[in-house]
Amino acid sequence: YAPSVLKPHVRDLSVALVLASLFDREVNCRRAASAAFQESVGRQGADNFKHGIAILTTADYYSLGNRTDAFMKSALDIAEFEEY
């Protein structure tokens, strides 16, 4: 979809994907949510997803592999962004 079509839904979508990528119990779900967020940032533009690139570098494939690190480290770093 064009960025203009999804713009009204981007905030809710981005928050849901970030929460799932950080706090889901299953590693595969965390990684899938992170991949979906990455794809959305790439397709919709980093301007539509606030702090998208910074979040992607914080919550990457490897950092989400360990539940404790995802909960206690990545989540705290991303919580500094007001939108999330």
Side-chain angles (χ1 to χ4, degrees), residues 29-82:
C29 292
R30 290 194 305 274
R31 288 178 170 166
S34 177
F37 184 79
Q38 180 179 2
E39 185 72 18
S40 297
V41 170
R43 289 187 183 266
Q44 300 300 314
D47 294 337
N48 288 334
F49 283 81
K50 301 292 185 202
H51 310 290
I53 303 299
I55 290 170
L56 291 174
T57 57
T58 300
D60 63 5
Y61 182 87
Y62 296 104
S63 67
L64 297 175
N66 182 313
R67 188 180 349 182
T68 303
D69 285 346
F71 285 20
M72 303 301 291
K73 190 174 178 187
S74 298
L76 293 177
D77 292 342
I78 292 173
E80 293 179 11
F81 301 122
E82 184 178 331

Side-chain angles (χ1 to χ4, degrees), residues 17-35:
L17 288 173
V18 168
L19 289 176
S21 70
L22 292 172
F23 297 116
D24 197 279
R25 188 177 90 132
E26 300 296 327
V27 65
N28 290 336
C29 292
R30 290 194 305 274
R31 288 178 170 166
S34 177

Side-chain angles (χ1 to χ4, degrees), residues 10-21 33 84:
V10 165
R11 179 161 164 63
D12 293 336
L13 179 64
S14 63
V15 170
L17 288 173
V18 168
L19 289 176
S21 70
Y84 302 96

